[in-house]
Amino acid sequence: MARPAYRGRFAPSPTGLLHAGSLLAALASWLDARAHGGLWLVRIEDIDPFRDIPGAGEKILQTLARFSLASDEPVLWQHDRLGAYREALSRLLEKGMAYGCACSRHEILDWHHIYGGNPAVYPGLCRNGTGGRPVRSIRLRVDDEPVAFTDRRRGPFVQRLESELGDFIIRRADGLPAYQLAVVVDDGFQGVTDIVRGEDLLDNTPRQIALQRALGLPQPRYLHLPLVLNERGEKLSKQAGAAPLPEDDTMGCLERAWAGLGFPRIGAGSPQAFLRAAIPIWAGRWGG
Ligand code: GLU
């Protein structure tokens, strides 16, 4: 079967303003879409009122526009998609692929304290029911078959979800859909064929593939990018208050993101000229 036409995306959470790391992801996902003659979609992942900053979504779009990066279709805002996440959760529950869990983080830690094992793994305590305790979260039932995929940059990657993570949360105890669920439902809804994003999400990918399979959605191709680190060697994060991109150095920002992707200086006079020059160079390295 022919591959569907390329549809890529950039999906920032508005937990702060764009920083050098998010510009690198935006630029690379845009270039990969253009190199493949495809579309680039922007989705604002604003479903976490505890972490989102009011107005940051609009500011992110304005910053992208300064770099001449604009979504090819209307921007999708996750706060408009809550019904779709609820529907996906009901489907998974009805099919027995997901279940309600009554355990708090403390109870899981206590369990590991007594029985041992990796405290990051959910030991499946509510797999066969909560024993009458009220449901807090919803978890996806996983097995221990290796979930494998080949990242375009990092190569083969494999995880055994049951022994490495256990059944994982798809609706949080505060009632909000988990990132893993929202991202998979929306990548499916938007027909995304190619995901280009930071390497910090590489080890989330097997969970997302397990969810795609459970929901009968196609599996996109993946390219995970090198992270931009601060002077202390830590990943830049909006939430941790990474410095926003300076407003007066558009070309410098683009060149630095481009250097972070491993390419030599372009030296263009405008974002449009920069992007035009970068597409064939990107295509020469990553295909298109
Ligand atoms: N919203 C996520 C973030 O800002 C990225 C989601 C993704 O690219 O899959 O970290």
Side-chain angles (χ1 to χ4, degrees):
M1 215 168 56
R3 275 185 70 77
Y6 186 112
R7 289 170 70 82
R9 50 61 155 188
F10 174 57
S13 307
T15 51
L17 302 179
L18 280 196
H19 54 64
S22 24
L23 177 63
L24 182 142
L27 175 65
S29 56
W30 187 92
L31 287 171
D32 202 50
R34 286 298 180 267
H36 288 85
L39 295 181
W40 185 71
L41 316 175
V42 176
R43 178 169 78 229
I44 303 288
E45 304 212 314
D46 60 339
I47 40 163
D48 190 338
F50 303 107
R51 291 171 49 192
D52 295 345
I53 292 179
E58 287 79 4
K59 290 228 178 70
I60 287 175
L61 296 175
Q62 285 160 13
T63 306
L64 289 172
R66 215 170 63 226
F67 296 106
S68 210
L69 302 172
S71 184
D72 291 316
E73 289 181 2
V75 172
L76 191 69
W77 295 77
Q78 284 196 328
H79 73 247
D80 289 334
R81 301 271 304 142
L82 297 176
Y85 311 139
R86 269 197 297 274
E87 199 264 333
L89 282 167
S90 321
R91 243 182 331 132
L92 294 170
L93 286 169
E94 271 160 32
K95 290 194 190 152
M97 291 172 154
Y99 61 88
C101 173
C103 299
S104 68
R105 208 166 293 174
H106 271 298
E107 284 168 318
I108 298 169
L109 284 178
D110 285 349
W111 188 93
H112 280 293
H113 200 67
I114 299 167
Y115 298 102
N118 176 353
V121 175
Y122 178 64
L125 305 177
C126 293
R127 267 194 163 178
N128 301 314
T130 65
R133 295 185 302 151
V135 167
R136 295 166 54 88
S137 57
I138 296 177
R139 292 180 184 269
L140 189 78
R141 207 182 281 280
V142 297
D143 61 29
D144 224 23
E145 285 300 307
V147 179
F149 73 101
T150 302
D151 185 77
R152 288 166 60 198
R153 175 171 155 266
R154 291 287 305 266
F157 189 83
V158 62
Q159 250 177 10
R160 291 178 187 270
L161 292 176
E162 189 175 358
S163 47
E164 290 180 46
L165 290 165
D167 299 334
F168 62 90
I169 290 187
I170 54 177
R171 196 199 71 197
R172 299 166 13 173
D174 57 17
L176 294 170
Y179 154 68
Q180 312 292 354
L181 180 82
V183 85
V184 165
V185 167
D186 285 344
D187 284 331
F189 174 70
Q190 296 190 285
V192 169
T193 59
D194 286 79
I195 293 179
V196 178
R197 62 184 178 190
E199 197 165 63
D200 52 325
L201 294 168
L202 182 69
D203 66 359
N204 286 233
T205 305
R207 271 172 281 176
Q208 294 174 16
I209 291 174
L211 265 170
Q212 287 153 9
R213 291 178 183 164
L215 291 166
L217 294 168
Q219 183 179 320
R221 288 197 303 174
Y222 289 95
L223 168 56
H224 285 91
L225 305 163
L227 298 179
V228 178
L229 305 178
N230 66 16
E231 51 297 335
R232 289 188 299 279
E234 302 152 350
K235 164 190 135 64
L236 295 191
S237 119
K238 295 191 217 81
Q239 229 186 328
L245 293 163
E247 287 198 13
D248 54 357
D249 187 18
T250 303
M251 297 317 298
C253 291
L254 280 173
E255 290 286 3
R256 280 190 290 279
W258 184 237
L261 292 164
F263 297 105
R265 185 178 153 74
I266 290 186
S270 70
Q272 292 84 346
F274 175 92
L275 294 172
R276 255 196 319 277
I279 295 169
I281 304 173
W282 180 273
R285 171 67 184 85
W286 293 109

